[in-house]
Amino acid sequence: MKKHVAFIGLLVAVLLSSCSSSKKFVYLADMEIGEGYPFDTKHEAIVHRDDRLSITVSCKNPELAIPFNVAGGSVQVASDGNVNAVSSEVAKYNEKGYRVDSEGCIDFPLLGLLHVEGKTVSEVTDMIKKKIQDGNYIKEPLVFIEFLNFKYTVIGAVGANGIYSVNDDRVTLLEAIAKAGDLTSAARVDRVAVIREIGGERKMFMHNLHSKELFDSPCFYLQQNDIVYVEPKYKRRDAGDVFLRYSSLVMSLVSLATTFYLIAK
């Protein structure tokens, strides 16, 4: 009877091990409890071609900033003498923003073409402020810039491949993976790549999510249009591979069942 139970247990174990797909990895396994790890608190996204930027100019005298906030400086004078922006023009620019063209420039009201590609948000902000002041338009302008189409792509061994967007320009590699449904059991945790556009070229940076060295990566914070690729442990099996896999499993079960039958006799 004990032999019968032993073989039944072995049969169940083989079946479970064949169907098991549990994850066997831990993120940041070498981090120490209570240990401090520095990170970049001043991270800023870099402007790329085809980005859309929301740029708003304001100041103490709102009417002076109106020409910088609408297409062509379209304004109207009310009966009380106040200057206001044409509402349709404001709505259009709030929705679409300024697109960075193929030369890396935006066409900004009154200031003309401004080269913004490769600059951080702070650098673009400072440049616009300075040009407004140098042109004697406004003495103390306030400039606010936001991305309208910050997006990145996640593919490979994750729960949901796709293109993702965020409401701001600050998203980490771990947050991107979590938003994509986390890694699957087929993922290589030590082979997570970020492909980034730099100086007209695409470069790949490889990461090991087991290690705290992830925090030191230039890709810990994603940039606009980054591609995150999680390498799988194996290639996707075709129909023939699946047939061979399950044929092997069936043969193993038949062999165990035959052995069990012979012993039971």
Side-chain angles (χ1 to χ4, degrees), residues 26-28 173-174 177 183 189 192 207-211 214:
V26 178
Y27 298 133
L28 308 173
L173 178 55
L174 292 176
I177 291 173
L183 303 184
V189 188
V192 177
H207 304 84
N208 180 1
L209 301 192
H210 284 306
S211 175
L214 172 66

Side-chain angles (χ1 to χ4, degrees), residues 75-198:
V75 297
Q76 60 186 10
V77 180
S79 58
D80 57 2
N82 290 327
V83 179
N84 301 301
V86 177
S87 58
S88 61
E89 295 291 344
V90 174
K92 181 176 72 174
Y93 262 70
N94 285 342
E95 179 183 353
K96 295 185 177 181
Y98 297 88
R99 188 182 74 84
V100 183
D101 65 21
S102 60
E103 301 298 322
C105 299
I106 59 173
D107 190 2
F108 199 73
L110 300 184
L111 304 182
L113 289 178
L114 303 177
H115 190 271
V116 297
E117 182 185 15
K119 299 181 183 295
T120 64
V121 171
S122 292
E123 290 171 339
V124 177
T125 299
D126 292 341
M127 177 180 63
I128 293 176
K129 281 184 179 180
K130 187 175 187 305
K131 287 186 175 293
I132 291 175
Q133 290 172 327
D134 291 347
N136 292 319
Y137 298 111
I138 303 173
K139 289 185 178 181
E140 297 180 352
L142 299 174
V143 179
F144 304 94
I145 301 178
E146 292 182 336
F147 284 89
L148 294 179
N149 66 334
F150 191 97
K151 62 183 185 299
Y152 58 88
T153 302
V154 184
I155 56 177
V158 294
N161 286 210
I163 299 174
Y164 296 86
S165 59
V166 292
N167 294 327
D168 53 29
D169 57 0
R170 194 179 178 92
V171 58
T172 69
L173 178 55
L174 292 176
E175 289 171 337
I177 291 173
K179 192 170 183 178
D182 202 0
L183 303 184
T184 68
S185 59
R188 287 196 59 177
V189 188
D190 60 338
R191 298 280 296 178
V192 177
V194 174
I195 302 169
R196 174 169 293 176
E197 298 177 7
I198 301 177

